[in-house]
């Protein structure tokens, strides 16, 4: 089960994603592990969070050429070139009929992308993954974030709440901040959060450095 969520505040994109991975053996037994790398990555001036089949999202991550300069309207580019590039990368990897879903930050906006098309996200928060509905319910119950600290606190509460209700989502997550030029200005990895109080202590420590 995957949960990737993001928001945009004053032109800055904040995106968080868990690292849980469900593995099924040949007998159909499932187990959970924690991935060593994030489900969120930078691709040129885009920040992308991937959900769905791991092989499909990895084919997109490593098979699509990073976008260096945007020469079209963001929605037009994503709906045409980007979706076509994703499908091509997946096909070249020999993957067929596997579900994939992306949360894409481009030009200070968030978009939900899958093989069927692109949705221009309009809400305060956007999310993808099998736990997206549960995550959005938690986020919508909180006050709208005003800055990075609020976004981090909301993300921590979301993952803690969802993890308490699902053994398949970990409280370990990655937090990214990206400016309007596509640069990642900060990256925080909060491991196995046990309480929101612990998150506040970590943030206070960051502010003192």
């Amino acid at each position: 089960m995957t949960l990737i969520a993001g928001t945009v505040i004053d032109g800055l994109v904040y995106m968080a994603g868990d690292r849980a991975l469900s593995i099924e053996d040949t007998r159909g037994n499932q187990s959970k592990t924690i991935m060593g790398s994030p489900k969120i990555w930078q691709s040129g001036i885009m920040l992308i969070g991937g959900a769905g089949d791991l092989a499909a999202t990895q084919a997109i991550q490593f098979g699509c050429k990073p976008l260096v300069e945007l020469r079209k309207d963001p929605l037009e580019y994503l709906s045409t070139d980007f979706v076509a590039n994703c499908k091509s990368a997946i096909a070249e990897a020999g993957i067929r009929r596997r579900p994939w879903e992306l949360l894409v930050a481009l030009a200070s906006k968030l978009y939900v992308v899958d093989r069927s098309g692109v949705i221009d996200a309009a809400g305060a928060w956007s999310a993808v993954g099998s736990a997206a509905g549960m995550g959005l319910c938690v986020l919508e119950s909180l006050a709208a974030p005003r800055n990075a600290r609020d976004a981090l606190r909301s993300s921590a509460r979301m993952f803690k709440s969802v993890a308490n209700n699902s053994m398949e989502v970990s409280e370990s997550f990655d937090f990214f901040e990206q400016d309007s030029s596509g640069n990642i200005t900060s990256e925080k990895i909060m491991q196995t959060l046990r309480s929101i109080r612990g998150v506040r202590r970590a943030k206070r420590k960051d502010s003192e450095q």
Side-chain angles (χ1 to χ4, degrees), residues 30-112:
Q30 289 194 345
S31 61
K32 187 187 77 172
T33 186
I34 302 299
M35 296 174 59
S37 56
K39 297 178 182 178
I40 300 172
W41 66 91
Q42 186 172 20
S43 180
I45 58 174
M46 295 189 296
L47 185 63
I48 304 174
D53 183 75
L54 179 61
T57 57
Q58 287 181 333
I60 293 171
Q61 179 179 0
F62 300 112
C64 290
K65 185 177 180 180
L67 177 65
V68 177
E69 181 181 3
L70 183 62
R71 298 181 179 180
K72 295 181 178 180
D73 173 80
L75 182 58
E76 179 185 359
Y77 167 77
L78 292 172
S79 302
T80 55
D81 300 34
F82 182 66
V83 169
N85 291 341
C86 289
K87 291 180 179 179
S88 177
I90 291 173
E92 289 181 7
I95 301 168
R96 295 183 179 180
R97 301 184 183 278
R98 302 276 185 88
W100 57 272
E101 188 178 25
L102 308 175
L103 183 61
V104 178
L106 178 59
S108 298
K109 293 193 69 175
L110 287 168
Y111 302 85
V112 175

Side-chain angles (χ1 to χ4, degrees), residues 98-163:
R98 302 276 185 88
W100 57 272
E101 188 178 25
L102 308 175
L103 183 61
V104 178
L106 178 59
S108 298
K109 293 193 69 175
L110 287 168
Y111 302 85
V112 175
V113 182
D114 62 21
R115 62 178 299 110
S116 64
V118 180
I119 298 175
D120 185 352
W125 285 90
S126 300
V128 298
S130 52
M134 194 185 306
L136 286 174
C137 285
V138 175
L139 291 169
E140 289 171 359
S141 70
L142 305 174
R146 296 168 296 177
N147 50 43
R149 289 186 176 184
D150 287 347
L152 177 58
R153 183 182 297 115
S154 296
S155 298
R157 287 177 175 173
M158 173 187 66
F159 280 104
K160 183 174 180 62
S161 177
V162 174

Side-chain angles (χ1 to χ4, degrees), residues 7-30:
T7 188
V8 180
I9 307 169
D10 295 331
L12 294 177
V13 173
Y14 302 98
M15 192 180 297
D18 75 300
R19 289 199 181 195
L21 177 65
S22 297
I23 301 174
E24 183 174 325
D25 62 23
T26 55
R27 296 182 179 180
N29 299 316
Q30 289 194 345

